[in-house]
Amino acid sequence: MNILVANHLLRQTGGTQNYTFVLIVELLSLGHQVEYFTFKKGIVSDKIEELGVRYKSRDSYDLILANHNTTIKLLHHRG
């Protein structure tokens, strides 16, 4: 399954940032194709990319798991 995981900020560690990272790790372990989206890259997005996960590159996804209204408003039509 092609999945996009989105979080408003991935600049530094915090609650939703840690949740986003762990969620991506688990989805990868289950064999899914995962990409991520954020408005602000940083420490956490760097760690996500070290897992081999790319920044949003597709026009649509089978599933979008999004935190924060800002990401939902931007991405809801892509899933």
Side-chain angles (χ1 to χ4, degrees), residues 4-21 23-24 35-45 48 55-56 64-75:
L4 179 68
V5 179
N7 194 307
H8 185 83
L9 303 173
L10 292 173
R11 210 174 5 196
Q12 57 196 34
T13 58
T16 62
Q17 292 80 11
N18 291 335
Y19 169 79
T20 298
F21 181 82
L23 179 60
I24 289 171
E35 293 187 352
Y36 79 96
F37 172 80
T38 188
F39 290 107
K40 303 281 183 172
K41 291 184 177 185
I43 295 169
V44 179
S45 63
I48 290 169
Y55 184 80
K56 179 181 70 63
I64 298 174
L65 301 170
N67 291 311
H68 308 110
N69 289 332
T70 54
T71 59
I72 293 168
K73 287 178 186 177
L74 180 71
L75 301 170

Side-chain angles (χ1 to χ4, degrees), residues 14-15 17-18 22 29 31-32 38 50 52-53 56 59 63 70 77:
Q17 292 80 11
N18 291 335
V22 172
S29 76
H32 295 291
T38 188
E50 287 175 11
V53 176
K56 179 181 70 63
D59 291 329
L63 177 65
T70 54
H77 65 284

